[in-house]
């Protein structure tokens, strides 16, 4: 994975969500690409993990979410609320999709409480990915490859031209940096 | 930002794994939405000026989109149809 691909992992955080939305609304196509990068995993995960949509249905929902988001960005009342807005939009479109298919599937497989639990976990994961985006490109790439792409030490070593025997220790060091970053964020978020 | 309680490294790895990447083709397609919109507007403008072209677009919107180098997703075709209807 080259550096463009690292950036395409969608977790850069130079801009706040609100700043990114404002740029999109102003017609900045690069900002739109960044917005898609930032939330593509989240929308995808809601469709396939929370609502258990097939890949085909998930793809339709995924495209429709971003199409509608692009069309209706001006209706977003609070630019910082883009994440819950996208979650709600995805949730609504997934339910529509299930209703259009089988009501039985909707009732049997999708319990609202379960959906809320899964989306809660995804929100938590997104926050950790945001923290990850503050680490070096190298750490982002190693942790992303290992934890979200499920690649072996050997595959990661080959891709990054590193001895596979060093990958475990690199993962450990990067996780420590991530923990420190998360602690800093939580301290920053605490009331003084 | 969603506050996250203090976690050890193992837990952080587990949380990271909850968000695998979406298929690359889907992401690339979503990134092209602004360009798709430009392509659709070009088609609509041309259709406004050329009845024969409009007839061809209505008959085969997918081909018109492909000619304009716009990926013809179901959603894109529907938007083009709506735009042409609105201009009728």
């Amino acid at each position: 994975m080259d550096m463009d691909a690292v950036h395409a992992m969608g977790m850069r955080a130079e801009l706040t969500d609100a700043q990114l939305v404002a740029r999109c609304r102003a017609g900045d196509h690069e900002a739109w690409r960044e917005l898609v990068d930032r939330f593509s995993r989240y929308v995808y995960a809601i469709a396939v993990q929370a609502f258990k949509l097939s890949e085909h249905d998930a793809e339709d929902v995924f495209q429709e979410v971003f199409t509608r988001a692009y069309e209706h960005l001006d209706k977003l009342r609070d630019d910082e609320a883009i994440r819950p807005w996208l979650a709600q939009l995805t949730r609504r479109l997934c339910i529509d999709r299930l209703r259009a298919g089988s009501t039985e599937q909707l009732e049997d497989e999708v319990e609202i409480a379960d959906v809320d639990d899964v989306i809660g976990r995804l929100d938590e994961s997104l926050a950790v990915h945001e923290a990850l985006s503050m680490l070096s490109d190298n750490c982002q790439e190693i942790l992303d490859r290992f934890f979200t792409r499920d690649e072996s030490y050997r595959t990661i070593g080959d891709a990054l031209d590193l001895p596979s025997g060093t990958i475990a220790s690199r993962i450990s060091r990067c996780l420590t940096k991530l923990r420190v970053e998360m602690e800093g964020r939580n301290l920053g978020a605490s009331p003084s | 930002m969603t506050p996250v309680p203090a976690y050890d490294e193992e837990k952080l790895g587990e949380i990271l794994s909850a968000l695998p990447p979406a298929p690359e083709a889907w992401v690339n397609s979503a990134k092209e939405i602004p360009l798709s919109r430009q392509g659709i507007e070009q088609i609509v403008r041309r259709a406004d000026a050329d009845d024969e072209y409009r007839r061809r677009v209505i008959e085969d919107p997918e081909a018109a989109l492909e000619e304009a180098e716009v990926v013809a997703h179901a959603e894109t075709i529907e938007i083009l149809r709506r735009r042409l209807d609105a201009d009728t």
Side-chain angles (χ1 to χ4, degrees), chain A residues 44-112:
Chain A
Y44 174 60
I46 292 173
V48 299
Q49 292 181 37
F51 288 92
K52 300 179 175 64
L53 293 190
S54 67
E55 284 289 291
H56 178 266
D57 284 345
E59 181 176 9
D60 285 349
V61 165
F62 183 90
Q63 296 302 335
E64 199 169 345
V65 165
F66 283 107
T67 299
R68 291 198 187 190
Y70 184 76
E71 278 180 352
H72 301 299
L73 217 46
D74 56 330
K75 292 181 183 165
L76 185 60
R77 289 181 188 167
D78 173 7
D79 288 356
E80 200 57 64
I82 181 75
R83 180 188 51 75
W85 187 63
L86 284 173
Q88 187 59 28
L89 182 55
T90 308
R91 177 194 287 256
R92 191 154 44 81
L93 291 173
C94 285
I95 290 171
D96 288 350
R97 177 63 53 154
L98 290 171
R99 282 192 176 135
S102 158
T103 308
E104 202 172 291
Q105 186 187 5
L106 180 62
E107 288 173 354
D108 290 353
E109 295 184 15
V110 180
E111 293 288 341
I112 296 303

Side-chain angles (χ1 to χ4, degrees), chain A residues 5 11 42 45 53 55 64 68-72 114 118 128 151 156-158 166 168 171 174-175 187-191:
Chain A
M11 302 299 160
Y42 186 60
L53 293 190
E55 284 289 291
E64 199 169 345
R68 291 198 187 190
Y70 184 76
E71 278 180 352
H72 301 299
D114 292 346
V118 174
V128 176
E151 292 183 359
I156 296 171
D158 288 348
T166 68
I171 288 170
C174 289
L175 280 174
L187 281 175
S190 300

Side-chain angles (χ1 to χ4, degrees), chain A residues 112-187:
Chain A
I112 296 303
D114 292 346
V115 168
D116 289 341
D117 281 350
V118 174
I119 293 178
R121 283 202 299 276
L122 298 177
D123 285 337
E124 189 178 44
S125 185
L126 195 60
V128 176
H129 275 272
E130 283 171 8
L132 175 63
S133 73
M134 303 309 291
L135 303 189
S136 67
D137 288 342
N138 192 265
C139 272
Q140 288 183 52
E141 185 159 0
I142 285 180
L143 294 184
D144 192 62
R145 281 178 179 275
F146 187 72
F147 288 108
T148 76
R149 297 174 194 265
D150 209 21
E151 292 183 359
S152 67
Y153 292 165
R154 171 170 292 200
T155 303
I156 296 171
D158 288 348
L160 303 184
D161 201 20
L162 296 168
S164 60
T166 68
I167 300 301
S169 60
R170 286 171 191 267
I171 288 170
S172 176
R173 282 199 298 275
C174 289
L175 280 174
T176 300
K177 290 177 183 173
L178 181 58
R179 180 177 54 74
V180 171
E181 174 65 28
M182 286 303 302
E183 286 170 357
R185 288 179 159 231
N186 283 343
L187 281 175

Side-chain angles (χ1 to χ4, degrees), chain B residues 52-83:
Chain B
E52 170 56 21
Y53 179 71
R54 171 183 288 273
R55 191 191 57 74
R56 280 194 285 128
V57 174
I58 291 170
E59 200 172 278
D60 191 352
E62 200 168 334
L65 287 165
E66 281 168 8
E67 191 189 349
E69 297 182 352
V70 174
V71 180
H73 287 295
E75 182 74 11
T76 318
I77 293 170
E78 184 54 35
I79 291 166
L80 176 57
R81 286 204 170 110
R82 281 205 310 264
R83 287 287 290 110

